[in-house]
């Protein structure tokens, strides 16, 4: 299959992009489009073929449900039931934005979207291309991230092309995603509501509306913890090489990484660092996410860096960690997953230090 690529930042091209995008979606085909979090791989919620195509193109397990994307003016009551006053307040404040809400599903919604669950995930993305595509077509679009299953989510159209070339007919190119991490998922069917995945909307922002919101205890990276969002249980966000995370003060982290690098000498070593430490390491590949003072910028560049380590064919990776405040919570959640919970300091899984196998 030929994969078309249309530049939405050019106004004339954009017209063609919307027309072609809507035509394909209604015909049961899949279209990748930009959002403020990551690129989405869309299928029209009214087309079984379009929904099946998403799982096929991504190689996504069928028990991992999709997020229904809507636009201003689309009644959320068409896809979900029992919208609480609390949910109304969240939507009024944070939509369009990086917040996904879980509701009871409306009858008639395809089980392909919900993976057979009786709940549905809904979000209104804050990106002009995503919103205009849906508004012009008058259609809601089910979409997960537009990566091959298991790879880091795509934050540029180039990432999408890398993974989806030959698998889908159209990529709408809208530049780099501003947030760069996926949406925050909040389960509104739980009492009190529960965060199932930290993301672009911070816990502090949610607490302004929901002071008693809880975090899913299953989010802790422990062997026996089972997260409630089905997608969170899969290996995710991971570069090909094993990655180890440093912990503690910036000085302690620097020391841990230096020791790790020494132990792994002879392998092609990569370091994920910050501008403040860029010159401090002796490694084959050194990538900085920007200044530690700019966690939003670091978050926006994380997935691109993970993909670059793959391109660079690194064999072992070390990463600096950041404070869990604000966007730091979501950043650290993805970094921990990318590391499979492995730290250079020691953790309660006992996966401490670098084994000989990982160092090779
Ligand atoms: P992605 O957009 O690729 O991050 O995939 C959508 C995410 O939403 C996955 O982690 C799903 O497990 C999660 N999700 C979708 N529907 C539900 C639901 N009904 N309950 C809990 N999590 C959901
Ligand atoms: Mg995904």
């Amino acid at each position: 299959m030929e994969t078309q690529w249309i530049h939405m930042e050019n106004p004339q091209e954009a017209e063609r992009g919307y027309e072609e995008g809507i035509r394909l979606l209604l015909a049961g085909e899949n279209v990748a489009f930009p959002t403020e979090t990551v690129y989405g791989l869309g299928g029209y919620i009214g087309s079984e073929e379009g929904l099946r195509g998403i799982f096929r193109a991504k190689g996504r397990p069928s028990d991992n449900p999709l997020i229904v994307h809507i636009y201003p003016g689309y009644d959320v009551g068409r896809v979900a039931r029992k919208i609480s006053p609390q949910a109304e307040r969240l939507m009024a404040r944070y939509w369009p934005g990086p917040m996904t809400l879980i509701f009871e599903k409306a009858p008639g919604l395809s089980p392909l979207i919900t993976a057979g669950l009786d709940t549905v995930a809904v979000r209104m993305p804050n990106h002009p291309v995503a919103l205009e595509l849906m508004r012009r077509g008058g259609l809601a679009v089910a979409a997960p991230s537009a990566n091959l299953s298991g790879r880091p989510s795509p934050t540029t159209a180039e990432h999408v092309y890398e993974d989806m070339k030959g698998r889908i007919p159209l990529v709408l190119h809208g530049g780099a995603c501003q947030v760069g991490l996926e949406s925050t998922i909040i389960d509104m069917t739980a009492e009190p509501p529960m965060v199932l995945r930290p993301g672009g909307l911070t816990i502090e922002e949610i607490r302004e509306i929901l002071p008693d919101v809880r975090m899913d205890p299953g989010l802790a990276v422990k062997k026996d913890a089972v997260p409630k969002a089905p997608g969170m249980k899969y290996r995710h966000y991971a570069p090909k090489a094993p990655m180890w995370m440093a912990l503690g003060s910036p000085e302690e982290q620097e020391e841990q990484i230096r020791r790790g690098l020494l132990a792994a000498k002879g392998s092609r070593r990569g370091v994920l660092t910050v501008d403040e430490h860029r010159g401090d390491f002796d490694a084959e590949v050194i990538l900085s996410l920007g200044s530690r003072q700019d966690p939003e910028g670091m978050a926006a560049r994380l997935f691109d860096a993970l993909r670059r380590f793959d391109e660079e064919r690194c064999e072992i990776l070390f990463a600096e960690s950041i404070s869990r405040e604000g966007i730091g919570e979501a950043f650290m959640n993805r970094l921990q997953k990318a590391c499979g919970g492995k730290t250079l300091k020691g953790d309660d899984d006992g996966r401490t230090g670098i084994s000989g196998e990982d160092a090779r």
Side-chain angles (χ1 to χ4, degrees):
M1 181 190 301
E2 179 99 10
T3 301
Q4 261 199 95
W5 151 290
I6 299 182
H7 274 274
M8 302 304 281
E9 279 152 341
N10 170 335
Q12 273 130 41
E13 283 279 284
E15 283 304 308
R16 194 165 66 83
Y18 291 126
E19 272 171 34
E20 190 61 5
I22 292 163
R23 184 186 72 73
L24 288 166
L25 288 169
L26 290 175
E29 303 270 2
N30 300 114
V31 176
F33 60 94
T35 82
E36 83 281 30
T37 57
V38 301
Y39 273 74
L41 179 60
Y44 171 40
I45 64 165
S47 165
E48 296 285 296
E49 192 43 40
L51 297 170
R52 253 185 234 109
I54 295 174
F55 291 91
R56 195 167 51 233
K58 280 182 61 92
R60 185 178 179 94
S62 59
D63 67 349
N64 192 1
L66 312 174
I67 296 175
V68 174
H69 290 66
I70 62 171
Y71 55 92
Y74 189 97
D75 176 13
V76 67
R78 287 169 69 178
V79 292
R81 288 166 22 123
K82 302 207 183 143
I83 318 287
S84 66
Q86 277 186 323
E88 297 280 5
R89 285 208 300 282
L90 282 172
M91 295 186 292
R93 176 80 165 264
Y94 295 123
W95 273 1
M99 175 184 77
T100 295
L101 299 181
I102 306 289
F103 297 113
E104 233 176 71
K105 70 168 223 168
L109 205 66
S110 168
L112 288 169
I113 297 174
T114 61
L117 297 174
D118 47 20
T119 54
V120 62
V122 191
R123 167 167 123 82
M124 187 184 291
N126 187 15
H127 194 290
V129 172
L131 292 179
E132 187 64 10
L133 177 71
M134 294 189 287
R135 193 192 62 75
R136 284 200 194 193
L139 37 88
V141 168
S145 50
N147 51 288
L148 282 175
S149 210
R151 296 211 74 197
S153 294
T155 52
T156 67
E158 288 79 7
H159 295 163
V160 177
Y161 204 64
E162 224 171 81
D163 283 12
M164 290 297 146
K165 187 168 184 265
R167 295 174 164 262
I168 59 170
L170 178 61
V171 179
L172 299 179
H173 187 318
C177 300
Q178 212 193 331
V179 176
L181 299 179
E182 301 86 345
S183 60
T184 304
I185 302 181
I186 314 172
D187 183 358
M188 298 307 291
T189 69
E191 186 53 53
M194 191 186 270
V195 173
L196 305 188
R197 173 175 78 182
L201 184 73
T202 66
I203 309 297
E204 293 85 340
E205 286 168 313
I206 301 169
R207 289 223 167 93
E208 288 177 25
I209 307 266
L210 300 180
D212 57 350
V213 71
R214 294 171 300 159
M215 294 288 281
D216 175 6
L219 283 171
V221 182
K222 293 199 179 123
K223 276 194 206 109
D224 51 355
V226 180
K228 292 204 167 57
M232 297 297 277
K233 71 174 186 275
Y234 291 105
R235 188 184 141 92
H236 236 208
Y237 318 113
K240 288 177 185 143
M243 179 148 113
W244 302 79
M245 183 170 69
L247 288 174
S249 70
E251 295 72 31
E252 286 174 305
Q253 293 195 39
E254 193 187 330
E255 181 53 30
Q256 289 163 26
I257 292 178
R258 276 177 194 274
R259 269 191 273 122
L261 286 169
L262 265 180
K265 218 172 164 124
S267 304
R268 189 162 168 77
R269 303 159 301 173
V271 179
L272 187 59
T273 184
V274 293
D275 284 356
E276 289 85 347
H277 282 166
R278 196 192 256 284
D280 296 344
F281 300 114
D282 170 28
E284 284 65 38
V285 181
I286 297 174
L287 298 180
S288 170
L289 293 176
S291 168
R292 210 179 256 291
Q293 305 306 315
D294 175 26
E296 284 79 15
M298 291 182 64
R301 291 182 278 270
L302 176 63
F303 289 152
D304 181 63
L306 297 183
R307 282 175 180 258
R308 281 178 54 196
F309 284 127
D310 286 351
E311 276 166 38
E312 291 279 357
R313 309 205 169 279
C314 288
E315 293 165 313
I316 186 162
L317 301 170
F318 301 97
E320 292 200 50
S321 57
I322 65 170
S323 146
R324 285 186 172 267
E325 279 161 77
I327 193 72
E329 180 71 32
F331 178 95
M332 288 300 290
N333 170 272
R334 305 306 188 271
L335 188 61
Q336 268 181 332
K337 286 196 161 265
C339 295
K342 299 190 298 298
T343 73
L344 288 166
K345 201 176 184 186
D347 57 29
D348 41 21
D349 277 341
R351 309 174 71 183
T352 312
I354 309 158
S355 73
E357 196 183 321
D358 280 326
R360 268 194 299 272

